[in-house]
Amino acid sequence: MNVIMSDLQYGFAGNGTTMAPQSVESERPPIIQTYLRIALRWKYVIIGVTVACIVLGLIVTLLMTPKYTSTATVEIAREASQVTNIQAVERDTSVADQEFYQTQYGLLKSRALSERVATQLQLVDNPDFFKMFGTKDKNPAFDLTNNRYTSAGRAERQRVAGEILLQNLSVDPTRLSRLVDIAFTSPQAAFSARVANAWAENFIQTNLERKVQATSYGRNLLERQLRLQKQRLDESQRQLVRYALQQKIINLPAQTGSTAGGPTAERSIVADDLAALNTALTQATADRIEAEARYRSGSAGGTSSEALGNVAINNLRQRRAELAAQYQQMMVQFEPGYPAAQALKSQIDQLDRAIGREESRVKGSIEGAYRAGAARESALQAKVDQLKLSYLDNRRRSIQYNIFQQEVDTNRALYDGLLQRYKEIGIANGVGVNNISVVDTADEPQKPSSPRLFLNLLISLLGGLALGAVTAFALEQMDEAFGNPSEVERKLGLPLLGSVPKVDEDREPRDDLLDRKSDLVDAYLAISTNLGFTTEHGAPRSFSVTSTRPAEGKSTTALALATMLARANKRVIIVDGDMRSPSIHHFGNVGHERGLSNFLSGEEGIEPLTFQMPDLGLTAMSAGPIPPNAAELLTGTRLTTLIDRLLEDYDHVVIDSPPVMGLADAPLIAAQVEGVVYAVESHGIRATQVKTALRRLEAANVRIFGGVLTKFQARRAGYGNSYEYGYGYGRAKDDAKGQG
């Protein structure tokens, strides 16, 4: 058995209690799907609003006055072209380039520039200019003979003319470049080109004028500063000379190679002498230390390095060594008294004496050199000490001299700098460089820039779609009808048991119930399955089916649920509880002469009051004769007795209850059964009416198992085929056979 559960939005616990609804976010369809459904539902409204906006845009476009835009392109360089490599007084901004260019764009849109262009083009006194832009003439001083304004109110007209030009001007910098487009729009093509070119030319001219004005002002200021600085320099030099004469300070000029224009470098005679003597003293000390080292080495008893390096001493030592060798050889054979041996011994002794005399002479010369060096060092040290005292005295007397000298150097440096800058400004003022140039002049446009039909229609289309969407969304919010199954839970707070498709007008609901492949059967089979989860023992044994008002499909729902239960091999009886407008007997093609009202009036037999529906597999009880007041029959205990007796023979008792609104019957019946299945008509009833009816049932402590959305049309709700019922098992074969 195929059961469709797509409409089930609530789960039910095994003990029969209704579970809490799932979160709204998980129950609702995706936001895009929701918006698409709203758009499909109100598509004609959206199309109508869009078409109206397009027509309105077309009419407005055709009625607009054509305007022409002419563009001139200028280049704004960060640095001006340097003709002489000499800077003017007005320095280029040293901040970020962005700030510099934003300043230039602001100057292009300045009021002063716009009024200057208006004056140059003689627009201030031209009445046609004001008429062209729709400006009313507020100045009565107008000369009709010459067709021009008089001088009265000229300042006000100039201001207005500048505002008009600014309103129709656009400055568009080209991204990542130094190019700027100056565009002007007016009803006349030639006039637009004139204004754009005049704007570029005047911008360049004003930029030059600012530079020249700043340079001229700087030159005049420098002239005054030069005179004052020259006086300060002369006075400081005279002060320095007077102090040098008083203190008898004589300094020599600096050596050649000092930096030109820098501070004056002088040196005193005492300092030069002290430096020279100190150098000599250092050398004398080094010589004395060296001689002393040689002297100390010879005095220690050893042989000095000079003696070791002396040629004569070395020759004597070599000769002695030879004789000593011969003497030793002779001693091997002879005695020391041997004459030849004595002769060799005598020569060796003579050589020893000669070597001693020569070493003494070398040692004497070393000692003499040491003592001479020490004497020279002492003399130089005394002279250096004397010059130190003289130098310190000179330094003491030169402190104030140096202060005066620094003042002279400072004044001279300031004077030279001002003089150099003064000369540079004079040259720069005569050259007249500029950092702005015209790249492309404005040409007379051949076609209007506005209105643009395609763009306006596109804007109208987009605006119409947006307005249509807003209108559709507003209508959706104001619409209280139930357009889709999810709104049953969202608007009423009821668990949704399922939704039922609308039956074709040429077919009876009974015919669709007999066709087990129909969409109606699939829908009610899903509802019956969901109903089985509402109680702990499965489907409720006794329940009523009601609605807010008549003709919402409650009787069909009651018959269909009874049929689904009967097909599940259950013994089912359906009771027509609507004794005011009975309908169940129509499904059985019988009358309602005997039925519920007879039992409620006191008749005890039940079998005579029922009839069979063998094709649907269930038993039915009609409403019986229409009583004068049905509510009075329902207030007693007879209905409870009837239900108890029916449950002895049947598994389920289904009561087709009257509508809730305006009648007391439905709450009375609902109070005698386990609960109520509530039918809600799709696109047929307002949510406020259903809420009022539900409050009446709640006041009677009635349990509502859930809601059933009847007569649902998926296409009308904007769902397309997404809510079609049934999977079509076996239909393709049947259709093929039918076509065959």
Side-chain angles (χ1 to χ4, degrees):
M1 178 170 57
N2 301 319
V3 180
I4 297 179
M5 303 283 292
S6 60
D7 291 321
L8 179 59
Q9 294 188 358
Y10 274 72
F12 303 91
N15 58 4
T17 59
T18 304
M19 296 173 58
Q22 301 175 5
S23 64
V24 176
E25 294 296 332
S26 61
E27 293 174 0
R28 293 184 181 180
I31 189 67
I32 297 179
Q33 181 178 352
T34 301
Y35 289 153
L36 181 60
R37 179 188 58 78
I38 295 175
L40 292 176
R41 181 180 179 186
W42 301 100
K43 58 184 176 181
Y44 294 111
V45 174
I46 297 176
I47 293 174
V49 173
T50 303
V51 171
C53 289
I54 292 176
V55 173
L56 180 61
L58 178 61
I59 294 174
V60 171
T61 301
L62 295 177
L63 294 178
M64 291 176 64
T65 302
K67 292 186 177 181
Y68 299 86
T69 300
S70 185
T71 303
T73 303
V74 298
E75 178 188 7
I76 303 177
R78 185 66 179 84
E79 301 287 343
S81 300
Q82 296 294 326
V83 178
T84 61
N85 198 24
I86 296 175
Q87 295 182 352
V89 170
E90 185 188 28
R91 64 178 179 88
D92 291 323
T93 53
S94 59
V95 293
D97 286 348
Q98 184 65 24
E99 182 176 344
F100 167 76
Y101 283 108
Q102 291 298 327
T103 302
Q104 299 302 314
Y105 305 152
L107 293 175
L108 275 169
K109 300 177 182 178
S110 63
R111 178 180 57 83
L113 181 58
S114 64
E115 294 181 2
R116 175 172 178 152
V117 173
T119 302
Q120 179 186 0
L121 297 179
Q122 299 180 355
L123 304 178
V124 180
D125 300 325
N126 186 359
D128 295 333
F129 167 73
F130 295 97
K131 293 179 181 179
M132 182 191 309
F133 292 95
T135 302
K136 295 183 179 180
D137 182 18
K138 299 180 181 180
N139 188 358
F142 184 76
D143 188 358
L144 296 176
T145 304
N146 298 322
N147 192 31
R148 60 179 299 171
Y149 288 102
T150 61
S151 59
R154 179 179 178 83
E156 178 64 19
R157 292 196 308 274
Q158 186 176 16
R159 183 188 64 80
V160 174
E163 292 178 354
I164 293 174
L165 293 179
L166 282 176
Q167 292 172 359
N168 294 273
L169 180 84
S170 64
V171 176
D172 301 318
T174 303
R175 189 171 179 271
L176 300 178
S177 72
R178 299 181 295 184
L179 302 179
V180 181
D181 293 334
I182 304 174
F184 186 80
T185 304
S186 72
Q188 296 181 5
F191 181 75
S192 297
R194 286 178 55 204
V195 173
N197 289 327
W199 206 282
E201 294 172 359
N202 281 272
F203 179 62
I204 295 175
Q205 189 63 32
T206 54
N207 185 64
L208 279 174
E209 291 175 359
R210 283 196 304 271
K211 289 180 178 292
V212 172
Q213 183 179 5
T215 303
S216 300
Y217 175 78
R219 180 170 181 147
N220 295 333
L221 179 62
L222 282 177
E223 287 181 353
R224 294 192 298 270
Q225 293 295 329
L226 275 172
R227 287 194 296 269
L228 294 176
Q229 196 61 37
K230 185 66 168 61
Q231 295 175 0
R232 293 174 184 172
L233 178 60
D234 294 343
E235 179 62 26
S236 62
Q237 287 178 338
R238 285 192 291 268
Q239 186 179 22
L240 177 65
V241 171
R242 285 196 301 268
Y243 184 81
L245 290 175
Q246 293 174 0
Q247 299 296 328
K248 298 180 180 179
I249 297 176
I250 302 174
N251 290 332
L252 299 177
Q255 296 179 355
T256 306
S258 60
T259 304
T264 303
E266 295 181 346
R267 54 191 177 89
S268 65
I269 298 177
V270 176
D272 285 353
D273 292 344
L274 178 60
L277 287 177
N278 190 61
T279 302
L281 175 61
T282 302
Q283 184 63 39
T285 301
D287 294 343
R288 190 264 307 167
I289 292 173
E290 182 181 358
E292 184 179 6
R294 293 196 303 269
Y295 173 72
R296 299 297 180 190
S297 176
S299 300
T303 303
S304 63
S305 59
E306 284 78 0
L308 294 176
N310 190 278
V311 177
I313 294 175
N314 290 334
N315 292 334
L316 292 174
R317 289 182 184 279
Q318 184 178 3
R319 178 60 180 164
R320 183 185 183 284
E322 293 176 355
L323 293 177
Q326 294 177 7
Y327 180 77
Q328 290 297 330
Q329 185 177 5
M330 188 174 290
M331 286 295 100
V332 175
Q333 298 176 358
F334 303 102
E335 292 294 333
Y338 184 69
Q342 291 179 353
L344 288 175
K345 178 64 176 172
S346 177
Q347 292 180 6
I348 292 174
D349 293 339
Q350 290 178 358
L351 288 174
D352 289 337
R353 288 191 294 271
I355 292 173
R357 289 193 300 271
E358 191 65 29
E359 288 179 348
S360 298
R361 185 184 63 79
V362 171
K363 183 177 180 181
S365 64
I366 294 175
E367 182 180 0
Y370 161 64
R371 297 189 182 283
R376 182 170 177 270
E377 179 186 8
S378 299
L380 288 174
Q381 184 65 52
K383 187 61 176 177
V384 167
D385 293 340
Q386 181 182 0
L387 286 177
K388 284 182 178 179
L389 295 176
S390 300
Y391 179 75
L392 291 175
D393 180 65
N394 185 70
R395 288 290 301 272
R396 179 184 59 77
R397 289 182 289 110
S398 298
I399 293 175
Q400 187 62 36
Y401 178 84
N402 292 334
I403 295 175
F404 291 149
Q405 183 65 58
Q406 291 176 359
E407 184 176 357
V408 171
D409 294 339
T410 302
N411 291 332
R412 180 178 290 108
L414 291 175
Y415 178 77
D416 293 341
L418 290 174
L419 182 61
Q420 180 66 23
R421 187 61 173 154
Y422 180 77
K423 295 177 181 178
E424 292 177 355
I425 291 175
I427 298 175
N429 191 23
V431 174
V433 295
N434 198 358
N435 62 325
I436 302 174
S437 60
V438 176
V439 177
D440 291 326
T441 59
D443 296 329
E444 183 176 339
Q446 302 301 319
K447 59 181 180 180
S449 58
S450 66
R452 300 172 63 180
L453 180 60
F454 177 77
L455 179 60
N456 290 352
L457 291 181
L458 179 60
I459 295 175
S460 301
L461 174 62
L462 297 178
L465 290 174
L467 183 60
V470 172
T471 304
F473 186 77
L475 292 175
E476 179 73 14
Q477 296 300 316
M478 293 186 295
D479 186 13
E480 293 189 355
F482 297 90
N484 61 80
S486 63
E487 294 181 353
V488 174
E489 183 278 330
R490 182 168 59 86
K491 294 182 179 180
L492 303 178
L494 288 180
L496 179 66
L497 297 176
S499 57
V500 182
K502 185 176 182 180
V503 181
D504 295 338
E505 296 180 358
D506 56 347
R507 290 176 60 86
E508 292 292 333
R510 180 187 177 89
D511 298 334
D512 283 347
L513 290 176
L514 293 175
D515 183 6
R516 298 201 177 193
K517 298 179 181 179
S518 66
D519 293 341
L520 194 67
V521 171
D522 288 339
Y524 278 115
L525 186 59
I527 296 172
S528 176
T529 303
N530 297 337
L531 189 62
F533 295 105
T534 56
T535 66
E536 60 184 6
H537 54 269
R541 296 198 64 192
S542 63
F543 64 90
S544 65
V545 181
T546 186
S547 62
T548 305
R549 64 183 185 184
E552 287 193 66
K554 62 178 182 58
S555 298
T556 302
T557 300
L559 179 64
L561 291 178
T563 302
M564 297 302 108
L565 292 173
R567 289 177 179 173
N569 297 323
K570 302 291 185 180
R571 293 172 299 165
V572 183
I573 182 172
I574 180 171
V575 179
D576 191 349
D578 190 355
M579 293 178 290
R580 301 176 187 271
S581 179
S583 60
I584 295 298
H585 63 282
H586 294 297
F587 296 110
N589 295 321
V590 298
H592 62 92
E593 290 79 10
R594 296 182 60 80
L596 178 61
S597 60
N598 298 105
F599 186 85
L600 296 179
S601 299
E603 188 173 338
E604 293 296 332
I606 295 179
E607 187 67 23
L609 304 179
T610 63
F611 63 93
Q612 298 296 321
M613 293 184 182
D615 51 353
L616 298 179
L618 52 84
T619 303
M621 177 183 290
S622 68
I626 298 176
N629 192 333
E632 293 180 358
L633 296 177
L634 296 172
T635 54
T637 60
R638 294 292 294 174
L639 180 60
T640 303
T641 302
L642 175 62
I643 295 174
D644 293 340
R645 292 179 59 183
L646 290 175
L647 289 176
E648 294 176 359
D649 299 325
Y650 297 95
D651 297 323
H652 299 282
V653 176
V654 181
I655 300 178
D656 179 18
S657 175
V660 177
M661 293 300 293
L663 302 174
D665 303 4
L668 292 173
I669 295 175
Q672 308 302 321
V673 294
E674 292 185 45
V676 175
V677 175
Y678 204 91
V680 180
E681 182 182 2
S682 175
H683 298 289
I685 190 169
R686 297 170 59 187
T688 53
Q689 294 176 315
V690 181
K691 291 178 181 179
T692 303
L694 291 175
R695 282 194 293 268
R696 292 193 61 190
L697 294 178
E698 292 173 359
N701 294 322
V702 174
R703 180 182 179 185
I704 302 176
F705 295 124
V708 176
L709 186 65
T710 62
K711 303 180 182 180
F712 177 61
Q713 301 179 58
R715 296 185 183 276
R716 181 179 177 184
Y719 284 96
N721 296 326
S722 61
Y723 268 83
E724 293 294 339
Y725 296 86
Y727 290 97
Y729 294 145
R731 295 182 185 176
K733 297 180 179 180
D734 296 341
D735 294 342
K737 293 179 180 179
Q739 294 174 0

